[in-house]
Amino acid sequence: MDISETRPIGTTGLEVTAFGLGCASFGGLYAPLAEEDIFGLLAAAWDGGVRYFDVAPMYGLGRAEHLLGHFLRERIPADAHLTLSTKAGRLMSRARPGRELPPEPPKNPFDAGWGNGLNFREVFDYSYDGIMRSFDDSQQRLGRPEIDIVYVHDIGPVTHGPRHDVHWRDLTSGGFRALEDLRAAGLIKGFGLGVNETGIIADAMNEADLDCCLLAGRYSLLDQEAAPLLDKARGAGVSMILGGVFNSGILAGGPLKFNYVDAPDEIVARVEALSALCAGFDVPLGAAAIQYPMRHAGVTSVLVGARTARDVTTNLDWFRRDIPDALWSALDAAG
């Protein structure tokens, strides 16, 4: 597959490369990551043809946006074409005299923590004012006014539990309107959801005119839950970007993590079987995992994270690798 092949995002006029770089690792996902390693992997991605970068205030509690913004400002020509997305729904806050933060919410099951995040605490806010402030804050951290796409981050009942209805009401009564206003003013070109849950994207499609959505971990060699949603989104003209294609690393030969937690024995056994099947065709499991989502016509791009420049080049090689149809048939037959 061609790394630099571009595909349209809905009717926005935006295009993204078929392979994009996700920047969660910049915040120290699972373990600290040094600045020089981050700049090295970003250079490898850029040199390899990647022109779509996705980040979020959550990643390192602001650190990832700062570092990505610095690289793009200082090391990439100002007139270079690229597409940048970030997220909204969390504000990075600190208590101060006269202003106490709300009680800390229950642990988000999709939050693995940050090895070297900044000294802030996230406060969920999906209201009109909260989305607008989040956008302004991201512009400042990135050091650039041009943000192409804003995803509403981690809205959903699995993420928020009993607080979901409150957050959903804030989003549908004001947050979506803020994003529509930003789009109408030309400050962003598109918006949607950036989540780990499929059902909430379907719900959001009934509430707002979405351009694109980012879904992590729900359409992979280990999990095809999102297949009906991908069909629905394609019919509605909503572009789908897929992250988490390695399901937190286990499909790439990394840590035995599955959906941000230690992988259960059943998943480890499934991965071993998949790896053996791929080896029979002389194909690395990671190559099959990274290309699998792109076989669905409803998928526009895949986002892949990395911790080193070598990770980036390996992922790019896997994305380019020719995979025989016989392997896809064998994988389909194996379920």
Side-chain angles (χ1 to χ4, degrees), residues 50-105:
V50 178
R51 297 294 183 269
Y52 175 38
F53 301 89
D54 175 74
V55 69
M58 175 198 183
Y59 301 158
L61 306 179
R63 184 174 190 254
E65 284 188 319
H66 277 292
L67 292 172
L68 176 62
H70 179 84
F71 178 86
L72 296 178
R73 286 192 318 273
E74 303 298 330
R75 305 199 183 189
I76 301 301
D79 59 352
H81 174 74
L82 63 94
T83 304
L84 175 64
S85 60
T86 192
K87 306 183 181 73
R90 290 173 168 86
L91 299 175
M92 299 299 113
S93 299
R94 288 293 304 274
R96 64 173 183 256
R99 189 193 73 176
E100 296 300 321
L101 297 183
E104 196 156 2

Side-chain angles (χ1 to χ4, degrees), residues 41 53 253 255 259:
L41 73 87
F53 301 89
N259 291 346

Side-chain angles (χ1 to χ4, degrees), residues 4 70 207 230 235 296 305:
S4 57
H70 179 84
E207 297 286 344
L230 296 176
H296 195 291

Side-chain angles (χ1 to χ4, degrees), residues 183-238:
R183 183 175 61 187
L187 295 171
I188 63 174
K189 295 183 177 67
F191 73 85
L193 267 58
V195 295
N196 294 271
E197 305 178 44
T198 56
I200 200 65
I201 293 180
D203 292 344
M205 288 169 61
N206 296 327
E207 297 286 344
D209 180 19
L210 308 182
D211 300 292
C212 52
C213 287
L214 167 56
L215 179 65
R218 296 296 168 267
Y219 193 72
S220 71
L221 287 176
L222 291 172
D223 188 340
Q224 292 87 50
E225 175 190 329
L229 174 66
L230 296 176
D231 294 333
K232 177 182 174 71
R234 187 184 182 210
V238 177

Side-chain angles (χ1 to χ4, degrees), residues 169-195:
R169 186 164 57 248
D170 285 345
L171 180 61
T172 55
S173 65
F176 279 139
R177 181 164 50 88
L179 291 164
E180 289 165 354
D181 287 351
L182 289 170
R183 183 175 61 187
L187 295 171
I188 63 174
K189 295 183 177 67
F191 73 85
L193 267 58
V195 295

Side-chain angles (χ1 to χ4, degrees), residues 118-151:
L118 303 183
N119 191 22
F120 293 100
R121 210 195 90 190
E122 60 184 28
V123 175
F124 290 105
D125 191 337
Y126 297 92
S127 68
Y128 184 95
D129 289 345
I131 296 295
M132 287 296 194
R133 179 181 160 191
S134 180
F135 176 71
D136 288 344
D137 289 350
S138 287
Q139 285 182 308
Q140 294 298 318
R141 283 189 291 263
L142 287 162
R144 54 187 292 138
E146 304 86 8
I147 300 175
D148 299 299
I149 300 168
V150 174
Y151 297 115

